[in-house]
Amino acid sequence: MQIKDPMAWMLAEAVAQLQHADRLQRQFFRVAVAGGGPFWEPPVDMCAEDRTLGVLVALPGVAPERLEVVLVEHTTLVVRGERTFGATLATGTILRLEIPYGRFECRIDLPSGRYRLADQQMEDGCLRLRLEQFE
């Protein structure tokens, strides 16, 4: 069905975009449950170039010493750790709490091949990983 009124079309597009943004926002941080109790899953970006993978994991406020990166059988990347309350949020009445706290874990199935961790850095609230494929 084609909409002839440009204002109606623009309104329909705006509503569709808002609904899409709402869905993305709800899935940004998912909560899961495993044997050790609930944990949240941070969002991940991954890019491939030749025999290298770049992985970016959003971990705002996570101290580098509070996380662990493991390659399981060179085919699955596991990032886990914990985000604790900062000193500024440790006391007082919570008025808004949107950034998840507590245990987190994400399991990332890697593309075909076997990989090794070549580089790991925390930068601007994100964990940057570089993985290299090997035979």
Side-chain angles (χ1 to χ4, degrees), residues 5-6 31 82 88 130 135:
D5 179 9
V31 175
E82 185 175 7
T88 32
R130 189 169 55 83
E135 303 304 319

Side-chain angles (χ1 to χ4, degrees), residues 3-135:
I3 299 174
K4 294 181 181 179
D5 179 9
M7 290 299 283
W9 174 81
M10 286 177 24
L11 180 59
E13 281 295 308
V15 169
Q17 290 301 320
L18 286 170
Q19 289 172 339
H20 182 256
D22 184 52
R23 279 192 306 276
L24 287 174
Q25 194 263 343
R26 277 182 301 192
Q27 78 179 38
F28 189 68
F29 288 106
R30 297 179 302 187
V31 175
V33 178
F39 61 89
W40 55 277
E41 294 181 58
V44 175
D45 291 341
M46 183 167 45
C47 295
E49 183 178 338
D50 297 324
R51 301 176 62 79
T52 303
L53 292 177
V55 179
L56 184 69
V57 185
L59 296 171
V62 175
E65 61 273 7
R66 304 289 300 179
L67 64 91
E68 175 185 15
V69 177
V70 179
L71 266 170
V72 179
E73 297 180 8
H74 304 286
T75 60
T76 302
L77 179 65
V78 179
V79 178
R80 67 173 69 101
E82 185 175 7
R83 181 170 191 256
T84 58
F85 279 104
T88 32
L89 296 176
T91 61
T93 303
I94 296 172
L95 302 175
R96 190 172 188 150
L97 191 64
E98 296 179 357
I99 302 170
Y101 289 87
R103 290 183 41 232
F104 64 85
E105 181 174 308
C106 62
R107 293 181 164 272
I108 305 158
D109 292 327
L110 303 174
S112 299
R114 294 168 49 89
Y115 295 87
R116 69 175 152 248
L117 185 60
D119 189 36
Q120 172 180 332
Q121 305 174 33
M122 283 297 283
E123 181 181 306
D124 299 327
C126 291
L127 173 63
R128 292 185 179 276
L129 302 170
R130 189 169 55 83
L131 300 148
E132 294 175 344
Q133 187 175 17
F134 66 96
E135 303 304 319

